[in-house]
Structure formats: structure tokens, C-alpha cells
Amino acid sequence: MERELALEFVRVTEAAALASARLMGRGLKDEADQAAVQAMRAMFDTVSMDGEVVIGEGEMDEAPMLYIGEKLGNKNGPRLDVAVDPVEGTNLVAKGLPNAIAVVATAPKGNLLHAPDMYMEKLATGPLGKGKVSLDKSPTENLKILAKTMNKRVQDLVAVILDRPRHQKIIEEVRKAGARVKLISDGDVAAAIATGYPSSGVDILFGIGGAPEGVLAAAALRCLGGEMQGRLVVEDKSQQERLKEMNITDPNKILNIYDLAGRDDVIFAATGITDGDLLKGVRFMGNIAFTESVVMRAQTGTIRTIFAQHCLDKKPKVYQNLIGY
């Protein structure tokens, strides 16, 4: 069943990528997201599972589809937590910039953290950093530790960081330590996942980003054997109450990769929307479209890259409408 589901989730992310890619570079951020949401939601109806959205487009009163708590699948399958981001990097799609992806992560019921829509301090590395780096350590300390475990010099390391004013001190410290910095405008899920690929050119991720995106990245890094840590950033009383609902009594608690993505099996799937460090974006040639996707399983450690050719004129009419053909 899990093998079958892995490929089904690729079909889900492919549909979202095809739909949103039609609007790539046209400055229509919300429209690109809406197109991906509709296509992803429709494809979920065909999947043999009894799923529930734990990370999605927002609360029930905020999103018409893929809202938190929405039931997904045809109910003929396992009960699963489902985390989605139909367009991870809506600004990237709108501007035609690299590294926009469509993402799905699933795990048996109760495994994925129901992360609220708030900020999270994050630290991500590949397998060699697992159990070595820590959010309780400074960026300089973590860089030195990682350099030692990777048999590199600190000068050889590349840290990826969201280009935000709140990260200025981190950026300065990383540069002072001697490491190189790769600044990104959006899309820290793809950036965190890249730390798990030795060929990606990035070694560690620092900074504060969305908590839901932290769970998605943790799911992928669990499959890759990497490290992901998070610490929720509380900004007001409503967020403090949300933590209590999650049974998190210490706001300074470091959430490890198992807190974020469980200890049971995890499946992660993503399809490139625009060209990126990990995946190529969608290509359209008349009635043909080409996609590149990745699907991973934590239980087996299997990572599959899938290159697909889609004959758009042979798709059902409803599907053609969803992907703008």
C-alpha cells in the first residue's frame, strides 16, 4: 500500500505544479496558488487513503480547500496525517524565480506536528550533522562542528539563509566565521531539503521561517537521514494559547526531527514548478508537458526521481481545465 501511495502522491504534486506553472512569471501570486490548490485537491479524491489535513492553506474559515481538518482521499486506505503546500514559493512563481515546488508529506495518524501558522527558528543539515548541531549553539559553533564532521574547513561550508532583516546578525556571524552564505528570497523548504543532498552545494540552513514549512522540511530530511530542529517563536498571547493546545509548556523547547515528523513511516513528494537546485521546473511544448519530481520514504530510505511526460490532450476534460490546457 505504501509503495502505491508514494506514486499516487507524485501524481498529486504533478497536478499542482502543472496548474501553477501556467502562471509562472505573470505576477499573479494568488492566482497561481489557487490553481495549484484546486488541482491538488481534485487529485487527492482519487487516492486510496483516509487522510486529514494537519498543515494546509489555513483554518477552515480561511481556506475553501485543503484547510486544516479537511478529509482527503476515498477512505479506502490507511488513516494518515497530510501536510501540503501546493505552491512552496508563491512569490517565486509570480516572478519566475528558481526553486518553487509543489509539496506533500504524509505519515500515519498522529505523527506530523500540527504546527500553527507562526514563526519557527530552524536549523537543518544533512546526515553528517545529525546529533551534532543544535539550536542551543551559536551559528559559529555549529559551523565548526559541521566542518569537523564533514572533514571540511569552515571556509568550505555554505549556509543558506532567508534574506530578511531579522537575519542580519546571523548573516554577519556566519560570514565572520569564514563560511559562505547563500541568501534566498523565499522557499526555505527546498533550501532545507538541499542540505540533505551532498551535491546541492549547501551544507546548513539557519534562520526563522514558517512553522508549517518546518514540518514539511523535517519530513523530507527524515527520509534523507538528515537533521532538522525547530523552536517556535511566540509573538502574542494567542500564539501562547496555541502552544498550550499543542501541550507545549516550554516555548523555548527545541523540537527535534521526530517531534516534527514522527518516528513512523513518512512519505514526502515534491514536483518542481520553476527550475531549482533540486528539481527542474515544468516545461510546456504544445500538448506535451514535462515534469521532474522526487518521492521519498523514511521506512526504506528509498529516494526516487521521476521524469514524466504528460499528454495534456489525453487527460480528462476536467483535468485539462484545472491545469489550464
Side-chain angles (χ1 to χ4, degrees), residues 12-318:
V12 171
T13 58
E14 285 174 345
L18 286 166
S20 60
R22 283 292 189 190
L23 297 168
M24 188 272 288
R26 295 178 58 189
L28 303 172
K29 180 178 78 169
D30 294 338
E31 289 84 349
D33 186 57
Q34 183 180 6
V37 169
Q38 290 177 335
M40 179 176 277
R41 179 64 185 82
M43 193 58 67
F44 265 125
D45 284 340
T46 69
V47 179
S48 296
M49 67 172 185
D50 182 3
E52 181 178 339
V53 177
V54 298
I55 288 175
E57 292 293 285
E59 303 291 344
M60 186 183 299
D61 58 350
E62 298 172 352
M65 294 182 186
L66 298 179
Y67 55 82
I68 296 169
E70 184 175 12
K71 302 296 183 180
L72 300 176
N74 60 18
K75 307 299 185 293
N76 296 320
R79 296 185 67 205
L80 299 174
D81 284 343
V82 182
V84 302
D85 198 340
V87 180
E88 212 286 297
T90 53
N91 284 323
L92 302 178
V93 175
K95 297 177 181 180
L97 296 174
N99 289 315
I101 56 177
V103 182
V104 169
T106 69
K109 189 70 177 171
N111 274 268
L112 296 182
L113 180 72
H114 297 210
D117 188 11
M118 58 191 292
Y119 280 126
M120 174 185 283
E121 185 183 358
K122 304 175 190 177
L123 177 63
T125 69
L128 291 177
K130 191 171 180 64
K132 303 288 195 306
V133 298
S134 171
L135 277 175
D136 277 340
K137 295 182 172 67
S138 69
T140 301
E141 290 175 299
N142 282 316
L143 288 167
K144 289 179 179 179
I145 291 167
L146 190 60
K148 184 176 180 180
T149 62
M150 298 183 74
N151 195 27
K152 291 183 176 183
R153 302 174 303 167
V154 171
Q155 298 95 305
D156 299 328
L157 298 177
V158 174
V160 60
I161 306 170
L162 276 170
D163 190 6
R164 300 286 189 273
R166 63 178 178 267
H167 293 152
Q168 194 55 45
K169 288 185 178 180
I170 295 175
I171 294 168
E172 290 174 359
E173 181 175 345
V174 170
R175 287 171 172 166
K176 186 176 180 181
R180 295 170 292 162
V181 175
K182 180 176 182 178
L183 295 176
I184 57 173
S185 62
D186 295 278
D188 68 348
V189 173
I193 296 168
T195 66
Y197 284 84
S199 61
S200 71
V202 297
D203 303 292
I204 190 167
L205 174 138
F206 293 114
I208 296 172
E213 288 81 3
V215 175
L216 285 163
L221 284 166
R222 265 211 60 207
C223 299
L224 292 164
E227 179 72 297
M228 180 79 192
Q229 295 177 13
R231 182 158 43 202
L232 294 169
V233 178
V234 181
E235 296 182 303
D236 54 40
K237 289 185 177 180
S238 66
Q239 291 183 351
Q240 289 177 348
E241 292 301 316
R242 190 64 184 266
L243 290 191
K244 290 180 182 178
E245 293 173 9
M246 298 168 63
N247 294 319
I248 297 176
T249 56
D250 180 8
N252 295 315
K253 177 184 178 181
I254 293 177
L255 302 170
N256 63 38
I257 197 166
Y258 301 110
D259 294 322
L260 297 168
R263 293 182 177 273
D264 210 325
D265 197 12
V266 171
I267 297 175
F268 176 90
T271 299
I273 302 172
T274 61
D275 285 348
D277 298 329
L278 299 178
L279 298 166
K280 290 182 179 179
V282 178
R283 301 281 197 279
F284 292 105
M285 295 182 64
N287 68 325
I288 301 294
F290 300 90
T291 57
E292 182 180 4
S293 306
V294 64
V295 60
M296 320 174 190
R297 276 189 69 195
Q299 184 170 299
T300 62
T302 303
I303 302 167
R304 290 184 172 90
T305 301
I306 299 173
F307 299 92
Q309 177 176 312
H310 306 265
C311 295
L312 303 181
D313 58 355
K314 294 184 179 181
K315 302 285 188 182
K317 190 64 178 177
V318 64

